[in-house]
Amino acid sequence: MKEDKRERIRDAAISVFAEKGFSEARADEIAERAGVAVGTIYNYFANKEAILIDIFEAEFTRLKEFYQHLRRSGLPVVEQIRQILKEHFARLEERQELIRVLQRERFKLLEHPGAEPLELYREIVAYVEELLREGIENGLLRECNPRIIAHALFGAVESVTHCSMICSPEESQQLFREAPEELAKFIWRGITLEGG
Amino acid sequence: MKEDKRERIRDAAISVFAEKGFSEARADEIAERAGVAVGTIYNYFANKEAILIDIFEAEFTRLKEFYQHLRRSGLPVVEQIRQILKEHFARLEERQELIRVLQRERFKLLEHPGAEPLELYREIVAYVEELLREGIENGLLRECNPRIIAHALFGAVESVTHCSMICSPEESQQLFREAPEELAKFIWRGITLEGG
Amino acid sequence: MKEDKRERIRDAAISVFAEKGFSEARADEIAERAGVAVGTIYNYFANKEAILIDIFEAEFTRLKEFYQHLRRSGLPVVEQIRQILKEHFARLEERQELIRVLQRERFKLLEHPGAEPLELYREIVAYVEELLREGIENGLLRECNPRIIAHALFGAVESVTHCSMICSPEESQQLFREAPEELAKFIWRGITLEGG
Amino acid sequence: MKEDKRERIRDAAISVFAEKGFSEARADEIAERAGVAVGTIYNYFANKEAILIDIFEAEFTRLKEFYQHLRRSGLPVVEQIRQILKEHFARLEERQELIRVLQRERFKLLEHPGAEPLELYREIVAYVEELLREGIENGLLRECNPRIIAHALFGAVESVTHCSMICSPEESQQLFREAPEELAKFIWRGITLEGG
DNA sequence: CATGAATGAGGTTTCATTCAT
DNA sequence: AATGAATGAAACCTCATTCAT
């Protein structure tokens, strides 16, 4: 019950942050959408920014766990990358607003250089980077700068959100249906050896 | 002289927006960096948001012109894409702060659905989309959804900015040197026909 | 308690408006005199102008009720006019600042042509106008344009405020003592039939 | 030519003051309506308030001269009062905006207790007051407090402006036609001896 | 723990006034 | 004398945060 209220506040915050952006989001509105009084927010979070940090931390922790799990799975590199993409798109579909907040407010992480979320983000990218490196070493992927390509991979996936920004809701729906397959192909070709 | 002052205000705004984000940027600081009084800002722009919109509009207009020029050039698709990447990275290198603002505040465009900048952005992506479509029709590029891939292309390129966010200044420098080549390869493989 | 605070803010505003005029009245000073923080004002009123409108509305509603009550009283026209003057001067004595604000800022009502206060003001004058018309029909008052004379009646009464503006506090006091009687006579002679 | 420009600025100010009130009147708009640059205003007036003071002073000086002239005319009291009303209404008709400004901003005079305009205003009322006193002494007017009645007289006349505030332009026109006669009768009966 | 009225620091914007041209 | 861009003090209002109930 207690944790439930914290959850509700966070979800309400996600919804408002996604819509107006962090800075324009008012505590009143978060409280209203969460169905609590403004004061209650401050029983669970130190301040508005703490909610955002918490959102980042929760999602990045979740992602990190996913990657750790994946690594321990012992699946071949190819399959791991496939799983990553699958996971990403599944998450995007089920929690569009959350993903939108993470992308929209990502720059705020820089204001807390030593804090948890940025560190987690680094680790997440590092996992992918290492995966790519492994793939290269195993002769499965082509030679490349794994850090750059790891980011490019994320960038390509995230672009779907930007795309949905400029098209109609109907086009958006179609987009979300086709994007996983399209991007998987795009990325796959981008990183595998010719003829691989 | 007059246009010069407007320019100085805009550049100062870019610098502050890049650093703190639009919402946290204070008019005082923009004025200070521009070397003018606060009031002067409002002789050139209706309000703080108008500066941001102007920044978007100016850059997107510039980009649109570049794309129009490119299209009229009659260069082969391959070469056009090469030029686009070259242009993007050159711009990123010479105006990092500007690019950072465009990426950071892109979501604000949604608040002005009918306004110029969003329309320009649509046109820009549409150019790339059409270029891809042309390449596909000519048998130069593989079959794909050109809209999705157009965005993915942008996303991959933009990811460099995010990458530079999480690494040291030295790593960043190296990154900017290597990224163009790396991304060109990644994208090229991602869109060409096998063995193309 | 809550309504009490709203009241205190309104009264403080009346005091400042009377002294400096609406436009020169600063929100800080209203808050200070009301014994609240600036922000508290805006928990009760949308903005500074809303306080003024509220002042007009409250007083005009009060007046309208007085006139409605009077009309239902069935008193003879003569007595009704006597009551109106009595009421006016009593109100002037007990709430000089309020009356001063109503007179001073009356022109601001024109900026809200369809709003409540102007409408109430119209109704109030209309009551007097009709009363005069009734008196004329009954042969108690001389033939006249009741609308013009209704306004003239108000104007004459209000002039006391202007008079007090240009004389010393001592003279003012004497003025307030003598004015009711003097004006009653003046008005009475002005509207009754010769020898009435 | 020089005096002409000063005049144009003053007239423009009257027009803006009448419309928006002194405090809401912007120097830019006065300049625009006067057909000069903002800076030019300050070559002729020390500041915005000085224009208002000047407007008051000019009109009150004019009025004072009229009253002085009248007094020296040796006309009978009755005729003098008739002339005063005639003059008032003529002025109201030819310079409605000016009259509106004088009435609207009259309270600002209190902020300059020792200044010329308030002094002139005192003198003007004093003339009428004395005229009334003379009439009473001569047995032409009824016994009354001449100061109060002098103000009441002004108040009644000024009420026409307020009346025109709440009615349609067409009603206003009719009002201005009928008011002089109506008010003259009202006032005359209010101050003369019964059967006078 | 929950509430929500109160707080007041702080930011945006306005606009009277100046002064270099 | 005329100009109008530049100035910056000042005012309104917002809204994250607190704390008494």
Side-chain angles (χ1 to χ4, degrees), chain B residues 5 37 39-40 44:
Chain B
K5 194 157 286 179
T40 305
Y44 292 90

Side-chain angles (χ1 to χ4, degrees), chain D residues 118-137:
Chain D
L118 194 56
E119 201 43 58
L120 285 164
Y121 185 58
R122 279 200 189 87
E123 292 182 55
I124 288 161
V125 185
Y127 275 121
V128 178
E129 195 181 326
E130 219 160 307
L131 196 62
L132 292 174
R133 187 167 286 124
E134 199 183 317
I136 297 162
E137 279 169 11

Side-chain angles (χ1 to χ4, degrees), chain B residues 53-71:
Chain B
I53 301 298
D54 190 72
I55 291 167
F56 270 106
E57 198 167 322
E59 185 64 8
F60 285 173
T61 298
R62 190 184 171 286
L63 260 180
K64 181 181 165 182
E65 277 161 13
F66 167 75
Y67 281 112
Q68 283 178 327
H69 179 77
L70 196 65
R71 150 162 305 182

Side-chain angles (χ1 to χ4, degrees), chain D residues 159-170:
Chain D
S159 71
V160 174
T161 304
H162 302 141
C163 188
S164 76
M165 267 173 52
I166 64 168
C167 58
S168 68
E170 299 81 46

Side-chain angles (χ1 to χ4, degrees), chain B residues 99-112:
Chain B
I99 301 304
R100 183 174 272 243
V101 171
L102 299 182
Q103 289 186 222
R104 182 167 193 173
E105 304 304 336
R106 142 200 286 157
F107 286 85
K108 274 206 89 64
L109 294 184
L110 295 180
E111 293 164 21
H112 309 266

Side-chain angles (χ1 to χ4, degrees), chain B residues 20-32:
Chain B
K20 324 235 168 153
F22 172 77
S23 295
E24 309 304 325
R26 294 187 295 104
D28 300 21
E29 192 162 1
I30 294 172
E32 196 179 41

Side-chain angles (χ1 to χ4, degrees), chain A residues 63-73 123 127:
Chain A
L63 259 181
K64 181 180 165 182
E65 278 162 11
F66 168 75
Y67 281 113
Q68 283 177 326
H69 178 77
L70 196 66
R71 151 161 304 182
R72 284 194 298 266
S73 72
E123 293 181 54
Y127 276 120

